[in-house]
Amino acid sequence: MDERTPLLNNHPQFSISTINHRRTRGENDFQTPVSGKVNTAPQDDNNAEVINSETFNNIRRDVEGHHAVQPKNVHIEQGHILKVGFQSLDYEISDNQIYQNEEKEKSFKRWKLYWRGVKRWIICFLIGVFTGLTAGFIDFGVEKISEVKFQTVKIWVDKCVLDNCMYLPQIFWFLINMCLVLVGSFLTTYFEPVSAGSGIPQIKCYLNGVIVPHVVRFKTLVIKVIGVLSAVAGGLAVGKEGPMIHSGAVIAAGISQGRTTSLGWDFKIFQEFRSDTEKRDFVSAGAAAGVAAAFGAPVGGVLFSLEEGASFWNQSLVWRIFFASIISTMTLNIVQGIIKQHAMDFSYPGLINFGTFDDVRYEFYELFIVICLGAIGGLLGALFNHINLKLTVFRMKYVQRKWQKVLETMMVAMYTAAFAYIIIFYKNDCKPIENDAETTLVQFFCQDGQYSSTARLFFDTPEATVKHLFHNVPGTYQVVTLTIFASGYFLLACWTYGLSIPSGLFIPSLLIGAAWGRIAGILLSGLPGLKKVNLSFYSLVGASSMLGGIVRMTISLTVIIMEATSNVPLGFPVMLSLIVAKWVGDQFNEGIYDLHIHLQGVPILGWEPLPLSSNLNAKTVMSHPVIVFRMKEPVERIVKILKEEEHNGFPVVEDYDPDHPEMADGCQTFGTFKGLILRSHLITMLKKKLFLENPEINKIVNNLKMSEFNESYPRYTGIQRISISPEEKHYTMDLAPFINQSHFVVLETASYSSIFRKFRSLGLRHMVVINFRNQVIGIVTRKDLARFMTECKNGEISIQEKPIIH
């Protein structure tokens, strides 16, 4: 969690029931109920102060429509809020006169269009290469650090078994884990908090159209890589596959812009792609390349970006994303081949290798067992998400200081090492050594020629342990050992996810699921009448069920596992287990990524509008009143509004007098709609002194290019840095050439569902609401749509509203 956008803290919880009102300034206009039974009075569950409609209106005023006001002594349930600090990306093209003139010029130079397309492929190639190189560096670093750590601990264990000093390797294990974790947590907490976690929720928000501060910065990438190295090598219950998705997205954002604002480097290339629309498409390719590098699954990467990330797709974009994924996989393949001294051996496709499942077979009746395992995975996944949700809320309230976050991370590292050491010490399953080439086998208290199978669960990287659970021969692990390991690792993974350190959730989920899936296989093998049970099959099904129950993905995970196992016949039972796990888990809560998104108060928009939302209309949803500009506006008023308001888009109108507002049908109107102008364009106009009093104004406007409005993208100049003399305040600016003449509008009678579909499919940031006289009466932003939520109580669905707060 980025500390720059803290959530509500230090308040007890209470639930907000349906608050029926139209969002206005200074009036409470209640709407018609949207269901057969709607609560119109808030319910106080914990004797806290109840939010009524008046208090609610005082709370709401978002960045693109109104300012939010933090109410005093009002307590809100975490996850049922929206935060004012999150703004939307500008995916809509500003179709003004300058843009139209440029497009007409381009139509006479077709080679420029072809070259622009070639550049997109070049960028996707570079995204794949650098994502693969980053994955190779992370994998090499984790393996080398882990090898040194485990070999050192092994030497101390072998020595202290004879010398009766077993506390020394335990202390050494504690210290090395805590030191490694300290590095990653300190950098994350003090320098770039947004690099914590897997980064998948943040990238999902970005691709949905929400600006998450610093999410695709170069500094975020550097700390992400270092943090992943320290977290995985430090023994935390995390994986490096999830953070690769975030890393690929950051790489894509940097390469596609041809510069890094963190370092102040500008290579003066790819300048035509410096827009939110272009950047979004390349970030989609980067996320897919990260998945491809992590699992060696280029098709799975494309489907992951489609299912979990990207909101806007077309055929050419799919091709480029797939190309970036293939290049990423091949680059990592080459890098790992060189590291392992087999430069021409392309058998290392991803960071994790599930091994070969060629001899795995299953019978028809086992599909019913697969369904049961999927249901278990859904239940365990829902429990995991519930525990992690409560723990995250606790952190938000009581673990706020930076040193507290670092201290908690080190505590988890210590407890993780203690958990492993205690299990090995008291449950020392001894098995005969079959392969002398194994270097991480620990004898512990076993006899000569034997090794501790329990120690093998911990004396290796998490990816290698998953492979062991998939393929080790029957009898390697006892049921008691696997039960203790699965339950203990389950709680550790719950505790770990959400710490202030980069951490992935894929590998811990697979580890837990593989363990209890193997337990299920062992128990089934003891039942009379069953044929020989294949433990690898049940371990794989358990792993996929657990992962699906936590993250609630289906098609992309199915393809990822199919590509990682190189076994198409296993696709059906894996898909079946994932579907059942998702269906069962969805009955209790959402996926882990969605839960964390809601906890952050992000105004994310789903794929479909809410049930019963057709009963809401535009007048209910919109923000009102609206700040508008006239076609010709005094400079003084423009500067005053830009300083006082934080809106990012303003309707431009005619026939409007700010000092004498008009009413129509009982609602204040704001003039006849002509278009919409962006805040960044207004600031650029002020910066370039585009005043009507300027004798060369026509010449300047005719020579203007749209690139001049995007020179400082994405960090636009603030109005406070624009110098306006007292004389210039009395000048006038003509906004006509700069307004978006094709901006989308909606009538006041339009339903919520129709507004939502247009807003979501077109990637809008603003939608102006007009009446039948084409007069502006309101504006709809992302937060206006995202503030509605449904709740089901006693079998009845009702619509509630989330407050928008600081």
Side-chain angles (χ1 to χ4, degrees):
M1 178 65 60
D2 194 331
E3 292 185 343
R4 288 176 291 276
T5 55
L7 292 175
L8 275 182
N9 296 303
N10 304 321
H11 299 302
Q13 293 181 345
F14 85 107
S15 298
I16 304 175
S17 298
T18 306
I19 302 168
N20 296 315
H21 79 291
R22 184 178 51 151
R23 181 176 167 204
T24 62
R25 184 185 302 168
E27 63 177 352
N28 294 323
D29 190 9
F30 289 87
Q31 68 191 43
T32 304
V34 295
S35 65
K37 181 179 180 181
V38 179
N39 297 325
T40 57
Q43 298 174 351
D44 186 1
D45 296 329
N46 294 315
N47 297 321
E49 178 182 346
V50 179
I51 290 185
N52 54 30
S53 57
E54 181 179 359
T55 306
F56 192 96
N57 285 334
N58 290 333
I59 294 174
R60 293 189 41 78
R61 250 189 107 212
D62 69 37
V63 139
E64 294 160 348
H66 305 298
H67 296 297
V69 179
Q70 177 87 17
K72 296 182 179 180
N73 301 322
V74 176
H75 311 306
I76 302 174
E77 184 177 350
Q78 297 286 3
H80 291 174
I81 59 174
L82 293 180
K83 296 205 57 196
V84 70
F86 291 105
Q87 301 183 32
S88 299
L89 295 166
D90 281 315
Y91 289 158
E92 185 183 7
I93 296 176
S94 185
D95 188 17
N96 53 32
Q97 292 182 13
I98 299 174
Y99 174 79
Q100 292 175 357
N101 293 336
E102 284 190 12
E103 291 300 305
K104 291 177 182 178
E105 181 183 351
K106 290 179 183 177
S107 64
F108 297 101
K109 299 179 181 179
R110 294 184 60 186
W111 66 271
K112 287 188 176 181
L113 297 178
Y114 288 120
W115 177 234
R116 186 184 180 94
V118 171
K119 283 183 178 180
R120 287 193 175 98
W121 287 94
I122 294 174
I123 292 173
C124 288
F125 174 81
L126 294 175
I127 290 172
V129 170
F130 281 97
T131 302
L133 291 174
T134 303
F137 173 77
I138 292 175
D139 187 55
F140 177 77
V142 169
E143 285 195 2
K144 290 302 179 183
I145 296 174
S146 299
E147 181 181 349
V148 172
K149 183 183 75 172
F150 289 129
Q151 285 295 330
T152 306
V153 174
K154 179 180 180 298
I155 293 173
W156 278 94
V157 168
D158 293 340
K159 177 182 179 181
C160 287
V161 166
L162 301 176
D163 297 343
N164 195 23
C165 59
M166 291 301 292
Y167 63 90
L168 289 179
Q170 181 181 11
I171 294 175
F172 180 81
W173 200 349
F174 284 179
L175 291 177
I176 193 170
N177 278 8
M178 292 172 67
C179 289
L180 287 171
V181 168
L182 174 62
V183 175
S185 181
F186 181 83
L187 292 175
T188 302
T189 306
Y190 283 88
F191 293 97
E192 200 55 82
V194 77
S195 63
S198 65
I200 295 177
Q202 290 87 343
I203 295 302
K204 183 176 179 179
C205 293
Y206 183 88
L207 295 177
N208 191 264
V210 181
I211 299 175
V212 180
H214 297 192
V215 69
V216 288
R217 296 276 180 88
F218 178 77
K219 184 170 68 171
T220 302
L221 174 64
V222 173
I223 295 179
K224 194 85 175 182
V225 171
I226 298 175
V228 168
L229 285 172
S230 63
V232 178
L236 292 178
V238 300
K240 55 180 179 287
E241 285 68 24
M244 272 308 306
I245 299 169
H246 189 184
S247 300
V250 179
I251 291 170
I255 292 177
S256 64
Q257 304 304 291
R259 66 179 179 184
T260 166
T261 53
S262 297
L263 300 178
W265 297 347
D266 191 343
F267 299 99
K268 304 297 182 181
I269 57 175
F270 308 137
Q271 292 176 326
E272 62 268 42
F273 301 121
R274 293 178 182 178
S275 68
D276 287 338
T277 306
E278 296 287 354
K279 193 174 182 179
R280 172 201 67 202
D281 292 343
F282 290 118
V283 169
S284 300
V291 175
F295 296 96
V299 178
V302 176
L303 293 176
F304 176 89
S305 188
L306 170 62
E307 181 180 13
E308 198 68 11
S311 303
F312 310 97
W313 279 70
N314 55 60
Q315 186 180 32
S316 59
L317 177 61
V318 173
W319 267 110
R320 293 197 299 271
I321 290 178
F322 181 65
F323 176 70
S325 300
I326 286 288
I327 296 300
S328 176
T329 304
M330 291 305 300
T331 301
L332 178 61
N333 206 324
I334 295 172
V335 171
Q336 289 189 315
I338 295 174
I339 292 174
K340 294 176 172 58
Q341 299 180 352
H342 299 284
M344 301 306 294
D345 185 3
F346 293 164
S347 58
Y348 309 99
L351 296 182
I352 182 172
N353 181 10
F354 288 161
T356 304
F357 287 80
D358 294 338
D359 58 341
V360 175
R361 300 290 185 270
Y362 58 92
E363 302 290 337
F364 176 77
Y365 71 89
E366 291 183 283
L367 294 179
F368 296 98
I369 303 176
V370 168
I371 294 175
C372 295
L373 294 179
I376 295 173
L379 291 172
L380 291 176
L383 178 62
F384 183 99
N385 293 353
H386 177 74
I387 296 174
N388 186 263
L389 173 67
K390 297 300 182 182
L391 181 59
T392 304
V393 172
F394 177 85
R395 285 193 180 112
M396 291 177 176
K397 290 183 177 180
Y398 303 110
V399 187
Q400 298 181 353
R401 299 183 182 275
K402 295 181 178 181
W403 66 266
Q404 292 175 331
K405 297 179 180 181
V406 176
L407 180 61
E408 185 195 13
T409 307
M410 296 180 64
M411 287 175 56
V412 175
M414 183 185 68
Y415 279 114
T416 304
F419 167 73
Y421 201 82
I422 290 172
I423 291 181
I424 297 172
F425 194 87
Y426 289 102
K427 198 70 183 69
N428 194 35
D429 291 344
C430 297
K431 305 297 178 185
I433 298 177
E434 299 176 356
N435 185 3
D436 295 336
E438 293 281 359
T439 58
T440 57
L441 298 181
V442 183
Q443 184 177 357
F444 229 81
F445 296 115
C446 297
Q447 299 178 359
D448 293 341
Q450 294 183 331
Y451 73 97
S452 171
S453 62
T454 307
R456 193 178 187 184
L457 292 171
F458 300 97
F459 274 70
D460 218 329
T461 61
E463 291 80 7
T465 304
V466 171
K467 189 175 179 180
H468 296 329
L469 290 172
F470 282 163
H471 298 290
N472 277 359
V473 297
T476 302
Y477 306 106
Q478 296 181 7
V479 173
V480 176
T481 303
L482 291 175
T483 302
I484 296 174
F485 172 79
S487 57
Y489 212 82
F490 180 93
L491 296 176
L492 281 175
C494 275
W495 192 6
T496 305
Y497 191 74
L499 292 175
S500 185
I501 194 170
S503 56
L505 195 57
F506 281 87
I507 293 303
S509 304
L510 292 173
L511 261 177
I512 299 166
W516 67 255
R518 193 176 181 92
I519 293 173
I522 294 173
L523 296 177
L524 289 171
S525 63
L527 296 178
L530 289 181
K531 297 181 180 180
K532 183 180 179 181
V533 174
N534 193 310
L535 296 184
S536 296
F537 173 75
Y538 287 102
S539 186
L540 179 64
V541 171
S544 59
S545 301
M546 190 70 209
L547 183 56
I550 293 176
V551 301
R552 310 290 165 79
M553 291 185 292
T554 52
I555 181 172
S556 59
L557 282 185
T558 301
V559 175
I560 286 172
I561 293 176
M562 284 174 57
E563 290 185 277
T565 57
S566 303
N567 194 311
V568 176
L570 286 177
F572 181 71
V574 167
M575 180 191 69
L576 190 61
S577 66
L578 287 170
I579 291 175
V580 174
K582 174 177 171 54
W583 184 83
V584 172
D586 284 344
Q587 307 309 308
F588 300 93
N589 49 37
E590 296 179 289
I592 189 70
Y593 301 137
D594 292 322
L595 289 176
H596 277 257
I597 288 172
H598 294 320
L599 280 178
Q600 295 179 40
V602 179
I604 192 169
L605 299 180
W607 291 102
E608 298 292 336
L610 300 173
L612 303 177
S613 60
S614 295
N615 295 329
L616 302 174
N617 58 28
K619 292 186 71 173
T620 303
V621 176
M622 70 183 186
S623 300
H624 179 92
V626 186
I627 303 297
V628 299
F629 287 119
R630 293 160 293 186
M631 295 290 284
K632 293 184 179 180
E633 195 70 65
V635 173
E636 184 176 13
R637 182 171 185 265
I638 294 177
V639 173
K640 181 177 182 294
I641 289 177
L642 291 180
K643 288 183 177 181
E644 293 179 352
E645 306 290 343
E646 296 178 336
H647 309 1
N648 287 282
F650 301 88
V652 180
V653 300
E654 284 185 342
D655 306 323
Y656 174 67
D657 185 355
D659 299 324
H660 299 86
E662 297 182 3
M663 301 290 291
D665 300 326
C667 180
Q668 182 182 351
T669 61
F670 302 90
T672 304
F673 180 73
K674 291 298 180 181
L676 185 132
I677 191 165
L678 297 177
R679 179 187 188 89
S680 60
H681 288 187
L682 286 171
I683 292 178
T684 301
M685 293 167 61
L686 292 171
K687 184 178 180 180
K688 293 183 177 295
K689 311 295 183 182
L690 302 181
F691 310 134
L692 289 179
E693 288 75 8
N694 189 338
E696 298 184 355
I697 180 64
N698 292 330
K699 180 179 178 181
I700 296 174
V701 171
N702 291 334
N703 293 329
L704 272 178
K705 302 294 183 183
M706 286 302 298
S707 58
E708 298 182 51
F709 290 89
N710 297 324
E711 287 178 344
S712 56
Y713 174 84
R715 302 183 187 181
Y716 291 111
T717 305
I719 184 62
Q720 292 77 11
R721 300 179 61 183
I722 303 299
S723 177
I724 301 295
S725 66
E727 181 183 359
E728 291 173 339
K729 289 183 178 181
H730 300 288
Y731 290 171
T732 305
M733 288 202 302
D734 184 7
L735 307 184
F738 309 97
I739 63 173
N740 182 0
Q741 305 172 46
S742 303
H743 183 72
F744 293 91
V745 297
V746 63
L747 285 172
E748 59 183 336
T749 55
S751 66
Y752 174 97
S753 57
S754 65
I755 297 173
F756 184 95
R757 290 189 176 95
K758 293 183 179 71
F759 208 96
R760 181 71 166 81
S761 59
L762 297 173
L764 302 180
R765 187 172 189 176
H766 316 88
M767 182 177 282
V768 178
V769 181
I770 60 174
N771 59 19
F772 291 98
R773 300 181 181 87
N774 202 37
Q775 295 173 320
V776 176
I777 63 171
I779 191 168
V780 176
T781 65
R782 170 180 292 270
K783 296 184 182 71
D784 294 312
L785 299 175
R787 67 188 170 99
F788 291 96
M789 59 180 289
T790 58
E791 185 170 280
C792 182
K793 287 185 178 181
N794 301 323
E796 296 183 350
I797 299 177
S798 62
I799 292 183
Q800 295 183 331
E801 296 185 41
K802 302 177 182 179
I804 297 181
I805 64 173
H806 279 296

